[in-house]
Amino acid sequence: MEPDKCCESGCIPCERDSDGQEPLDLCNYIGGEFVCPMGDEWMNVLEPATGHRFARVPLSGEADVGDAVRAARMAQPAWGALSHSERADWLDRIADALEARYEEIATLESRDTGKPISLARDVDAQRSVSNFRFFAGMLREHEQEVFEMSSATNYVVNKPVGVGALITPWNLPLYLLSWKVAPAIGMGNTVVCKPSELTPMTADLLMRVIDEVDLPAGVVNLVHGDGVGAGAPLVAHSDVDLVSFTGGTATGEKVAASAAPVFKKLSLELGGKNASIVFADCDMDATVAGVVRAGFLNQGQVCLCGSRILVEESIYDGFRDRFVDAVEAMRVGDPSDEATDLGALISRQHLEKVQGYVELAKEEGGSLLSGGVPCMPAEFEHGNWMAPTVIEGLSPNSRCSTEEIFGPVVTLHPFSSEEEAVAIANNTRYGLAGSVWTGNLEKGKRVSEAIDTGMVWVNTWLHRDLRVPFGGVKDSGVGREGGKWSLGFFSEAMNVCVKHD
Ligand code: NDP
């Protein structure tokens, strides 16, 4: 069924927006059908840049989740019985159909999240397509592992786990959802997705694509809704075998508590408070550009963002001045404008949280070098705007220097030795990522390996190879996804040992 037929059927009261446009009411996608939620609770989807409503999303409940899990369970045996290369062909069909909607993905993602259109094209749309293509390629290349003994041969069978719950946040909606869906179904699982209700538009688009390519019914299901009403019952459902969760650390704790007692397979990709470490021997121009990008991409709302910038004492003043100049040269503005560098923050509530940290920074003794509220044209007066903010003078132990802010706010800290830089970098409960900027690659590697995180870049940031392990340590998560780690997580490795005659 086409999504809009749901409205035509009269089961959803279609209101008219103030501009006379009919709001788009999203539907769940269960068992190959776009279906109305059982209840009648809805939430407005607002554009972060303007505050205008542009869709409504159902707040589904336990019964909707139950239907979706049932559909996934019914579809799993036939889907799991296909070969890797047959499933790879399906992933490629989805990639082709997504690629045909490249511009639609970018536009929807930019409107839904407030991010600049250039970023939505280059990162969100591009990666959503390449996630499906990449895992299709990996499946085709996947070779069975064999371990010979003098008296027997062992081989490894990667069986599907069963039904997966895939839960994703609002900052990179389709990018992260496709990062989970592709390897999960590629390995023969069937899935129920629960995207953030703040940014449901491209998850809906993915379901339309999946419907269009005629993926067997029930292989991919989607339930819209919030964490409490839909996310929690999905994780807790007794017929869900694995949970792949990306989101905040506090939510991750709840997800782990719900999944652990029944030993569900669990992957948690959580928050970060990453350091960019700048040594005096760095290439100054490239480093300023790289560290600005690491601090403020997507308005600082990327789990990998380098929000603590540690600078070697001898170049601190010079680096700071050039850094602040570069930050102030960034254009905050209309997300649909090609020239915009920073768009709006995701919601009013999140903006207030981030602004609260700026106030806290002042109380903690920090000095604001740049920031404030940007002057925006009237059409954006109800948007969630904040200028990129740079703070210095904070203790590395302060709350603003150790807690995840997840917005366009960075703190600057001088250091006097390699050991001190590493100690400051490790002085947080998080351990997701980091970057080191130096002309001495041996030092770059030495410092990288001393940092307690899942990944570190040297003289670059967010330079992604989809084959490498992705994930964090400490409170940044459990497990790794990416490349063969995703294929491993989304399957059960079984050993068969055959005694030689
Ligand atoms: P949240 O943890 O608030 O939400 C993530 C998802 O979980 C949402 O779909 C949410 O629904 C859902 N959820 C909330 N409560 C529950 C529950 N009890 N059970 C199951 N699901 C639930 O994160 P945000 O959406 O605010 O995203 C920002 C966070 O994500 C940051 O901390 C960021 O660092 C992290 N992140 C980590 C990444 C990584 O790879 N390590 C990548 C990207 C982001 P709802 O929207 O209703 O709350």
Side-chain angles (χ1 to χ4, degrees):
M1 195 194 329
E2 289 295 317
D4 54 354
K5 292 214 182 112
C6 213
C7 297
E8 285 167 15
S9 72
C11 59
I12 296 171
C14 289
E15 294 173 17
R16 291 199 171 265
D17 246 344
S18 49
D19 60 2
Q21 297 293 308
E22 205 166 51
L24 173 65
D25 284 338
L26 302 182
C27 303
N28 294 330
Y29 186 66
I30 298 177
E33 299 274 321
F34 288 93
V35 294
C36 303
M38 306 231 183
D40 192 22
E41 277 192 78
W42 294 82
M43 200 184 105
N44 291 328
V45 180
L46 305 178
E47 283 185 58
T50 60
H52 293 161
R53 169 172 83 166
F54 81 113
R56 297 195 318 158
V57 65
L59 295 178
S60 310
E62 205 169 336
D64 304 293
V65 167
D67 278 357
V69 174
R70 243 185 319 279
R73 176 60 64 197
M74 279 175 59
Q76 199 283 320
W79 179 252
L82 297 184
S83 67
H84 281 183
S85 78
E86 284 170 316
R87 289 195 294 262
D89 290 345
W90 280 109
L91 297 192
D92 273 337
R93 273 172 223 145
I94 296 171
D96 291 345
L98 281 176
E99 196 161 34
R101 292 169 178 257
Y102 195 88
E103 198 54 29
E104 190 187 350
I105 297 172
T107 306
L108 278 179
E109 213 68 295
S110 173
R111 284 185 73 188
D112 212 11
T113 64
K115 70 180 63 182
I117 185 74
S118 55
L119 182 67
R121 277 196 195 106
D122 296 349
V123 173
D124 300 74
Q126 192 273 332
R127 256 298 288 283
S128 306
V129 175
S130 60
N131 283 340
F132 280 98
R133 282 214 204 296
F134 167 74
F135 282 111
M138 277 216 81
L139 286 175
R140 290 196 184 96
E141 286 164 16
H142 189 256
E143 283 181 12
Q144 186 162 63
E145 285 184 290
V146 177
F147 303 96
E148 292 291 355
M149 301 166 75
S150 58
S151 55
T153 298
N154 291 280
Y155 65 94
V156 179
V157 186
N158 285 99
K159 290 184 167 180
V161 186
V163 173
L166 310 182
I167 301 183
T168 45
W170 46 260
N171 62 333
L172 295 159
L174 189 55
Y175 174 121
L176 289 172
L177 186 61
S178 52
W179 180 239
K180 296 181 189 302
V181 170
I185 65 171
M187 292 310 282
N189 307 284
T190 53
V191 298
V192 179
C193 312
K194 207 300 280 176
S196 169
E197 78 283 5
L198 296 178
T199 54
M201 302 307 291
T202 50
D204 175 70
L205 179 145
L206 177 62
M207 295 309 113
R208 285 188 274 132
V209 158
I210 278 171
D211 201 54
E212 181 183 302
V213 301
D214 274 332
L215 188 75
V219 172
V220 176
N221 306 275
L222 179 136
V223 177
H224 289 290
D226 64 18
V228 174
L234 176 58
V235 172
H237 197 290
S238 59
D239 215 15
V240 163
D241 304 296
L242 77 82
V243 178
S244 172
F245 172 85
T246 300
T249 296
T251 318
E253 280 175 36
K254 292 184 198 155
V255 169
S258 167
V262 285
F263 310 112
K264 292 181 184 181
K265 237 183 152 184
L266 184 62
S267 163
L268 298 171
E269 303 285 354
L270 308 177
K273 185 70 178 179
N274 314 296
S276 301
I277 303 179
V278 179
F279 283 99
D281 59 3
C282 69
D283 171 339
M284 186 65 101
D285 289 342
T287 302
V288 168
V291 173
V292 167
R293 178 170 167 267
F296 296 104
L297 193 84
N298 203 30
Q299 298 76 249
Q301 302 168 132
V302 178
C303 53
L304 306 166
C305 273
S307 54
R308 294 181 297 155
I309 301 166
L310 319 185
V311 186
E312 194 161 7
E313 224 163 39
S314 58
I315 59 158
Y316 181 85
D317 288 350
F319 178 87
R320 175 199 55 207
D321 295 347
R322 291 189 55 179
F323 180 77
V324 170
D325 286 348
V327 169
E328 290 185 340
M330 283 193 292
R331 294 175 58 159
V332 180
D334 179 355
S336 68
D337 185 336
E338 303 281 344
T340 292
D341 298 306
L342 267 81
L345 273 65
I346 187 67
S347 66
R348 183 48 52 119
Q349 194 188 15
H350 188 60
L351 173 68
E352 285 166 4
K353 180 194 133 183
V354 175
Q355 285 170 333
Y357 269 105
V358 177
E359 291 310 307
L360 177 65
K362 292 182 204 157
E363 287 164 27
E364 290 186 311
S367 310
L368 242 68
L369 303 178
S370 174
V373 179
C375 185
M376 298 297 297
E379 60 184 302
F380 298 112
E381 67 182 342
H382 298 299
N384 312 315
W385 298 100
M386 181 171 174
T389 302
V390 183
I391 299 167
E392 73 169 354
L394 285 171
S395 156
N397 298 322
S398 63
R399 284 185 55 200
C400 288
S401 313
T402 54
E403 295 178 12
E404 184 184 47
I405 298 175
F406 213 58
V409 179
V410 301
T411 59
L412 293 176
H413 307 270
F415 68 84
S416 56
S417 67
E418 234 176 270
E419 293 71 27
E420 193 190 7
V422 170
I424 299 174
N426 288 339
N427 183 37
T428 160
R429 61 193 281 237
Y430 296 106
L432 189 59
S435 62
V436 180
W437 303 80
T438 174
N440 177 342
L441 293 186
E442 282 314 307
K443 180 165 69 180
K445 289 193 248 177
R446 191 168 61 234
V447 170
S448 298
E449 289 173 29
I451 299 176
D452 298 331
T453 61
M455 46 211 150
V456 182
W457 287 279
V458 179
N459 294 331
T460 183
W461 176 79
L462 196 48
H463 197 76
R464 290 280 288 123
D465 180 329
L466 303 187
R467 293 170 299 181
V468 306
F470 183 98
V473 301
K474 303 198 285 188
D475 285 8
S476 288
V478 177
R480 294 289 178 277
E481 294 187 15
K484 67 177 184 185
W485 288 268
S486 288
L487 301 191
F489 172 69
F490 288 110
S491 63
E492 293 288 9
M494 179 196 193
N495 174 43
V496 178
C497 177
V498 182
K499 175 92 171 58
H500 294 164
D501 284 342

